[in-house]
Amino acid sequence: MPLRDFDRQLLDRCLKHEPGSWIEFVDRYMGLIYHVINHVAYARSVTLSAADVEDICAEIMLRLIDDDYAVLRRFKGQSSLPTYLTVITRRICVKELVKRQREASLGHARAHRAVVMAEDEEDLAEPIASAEEVEVMLRQLSGREAEVVRLYHLSSLNYRQIGKQLGIPENSVGPILATARRKLREAAEERSR
């Protein structure tokens, strides 16, 4: 779908900091952003409270205006503006959900470890075994695949950041990640037999 004149004009006005343009932008696209957040959460089987949705939405809006609208300035007009915003919103939302899940699990792990240490230090071997299991699984992948999985899932880097860090094209990160996931899934199925 091509970029509509109205969207181009609204975007241009926002980038020029014309009075009222950002409010108009927010009014026009806030519903889309909420929809994408809820859809991503549903697709990942994550339950979000209204406050969580508001927080993620605020983070998305901050990223849109950050660095003098850098994200919006990168829009090339090769698709519709709503399509571009959907992709940006989804990426930020996924990253936020992963970050929140990791923080929650780390917080739980810290609390659990404190209780375990008070009761019996020998039980600490379980989290270490889990980390060792992850390493064993990653050893089943090629070096490049394992590194992409580590950077994406453990470091929460996006495709561009991974491509830059590994010196590979950004558009090759997705296929590498898909292949690695397939191999890990097949290995897990083998072990469960």
Side-chain angles (χ1 to χ4, degrees):
M1 178 181 223
L3 178 62
R4 296 190 325 209
D5 288 337
F6 179 83
D7 291 330
R8 170 51 68 195
Q9 292 168 4
L10 178 57
L11 183 60
D12 289 343
R13 288 183 15 241
C14 283
L15 297 178
K16 292 176 185 173
H17 302 282
E18 289 184 13
S21 59
W22 180 247
I23 293 170
E24 189 177 344
F25 182 91
V26 170
D27 288 344
R28 183 166 177 84
Y29 296 111
M30 187 61 75
L32 172 68
I33 291 170
Y34 277 117
H35 174 75
V36 173
I37 292 168
N38 288 315
H39 180 75
V40 169
Y42 175 79
R44 291 182 158 250
S45 300
V46 175
T47 303
L48 294 176
S49 68
D52 290 332
V53 173
E54 290 292 326
D55 287 346
I56 293 171
C57 184
E59 181 63 31
I60 290 164
M61 299 309 274
L62 285 172
R63 298 266 184 96
L64 289 177
I65 64 171
D66 193 33
D67 200 19
D68 194 30
Y69 301 100
V71 169
L72 295 177
R73 289 184 189 284
R74 284 195 295 267
F75 177 59
K76 304 267 191 271
Q78 296 173 340
S79 66
S80 71
L81 185 55
T83 299
Y84 180 75
L85 291 173
T86 298
V87 171
I88 296 299
T89 299
R90 184 187 173 286
R91 287 179 181 168
I92 295 169
C93 185
V94 167
K95 194 169 187 173
E96 280 297 306
L97 291 177
V98 168
K99 182 176 109 179
R100 288 165 180 256
Q101 288 173 330
R102 184 177 34 219
E103 287 172 354
S105 67
L106 289 175
H108 173 73
R110 281 190 214 115
H112 178 68
R113 284 188 182 134
V115 170
V116 169
M117 285 176 68
E119 293 176 1
D120 185 3
E121 289 189 4
E122 290 180 19
D123 289 340
L124 285 176
E126 183 58 36
I128 295 168
S130 297
E132 288 173 357
E133 286 175 25
V134 170
E135 283 303 317
V136 167
M137 289 174 60
L138 290 176
R139 276 190 230 126
Q140 296 172 356
L141 302 173
S142 72
R144 172 76 32 98
E145 291 168 342
E147 193 59 31
V148 168
V149 168
R150 276 189 191 95
L151 292 173
Y152 185 78
H153 288 289
L154 302 178
S155 298
S156 296
L157 298 183
N158 63 34
Y159 286 9
R160 179 178 295 131
Q161 293 166 325
I162 293 170
K164 188 174 182 180
Q165 186 163 336
L166 297 179
I168 59 175
E170 178 183 343
N171 61 355
S172 67
V173 174
I176 292 171
L177 197 54
T179 301
R181 287 176 179 154
R182 181 182 46 77
K183 287 180 179 179
L184 290 173
R185 195 169 33 252
E186 289 170 358
E189 289 171 2
E190 287 279 323
R191 282 194 310 275
S192 67
R193 289 183 188 163

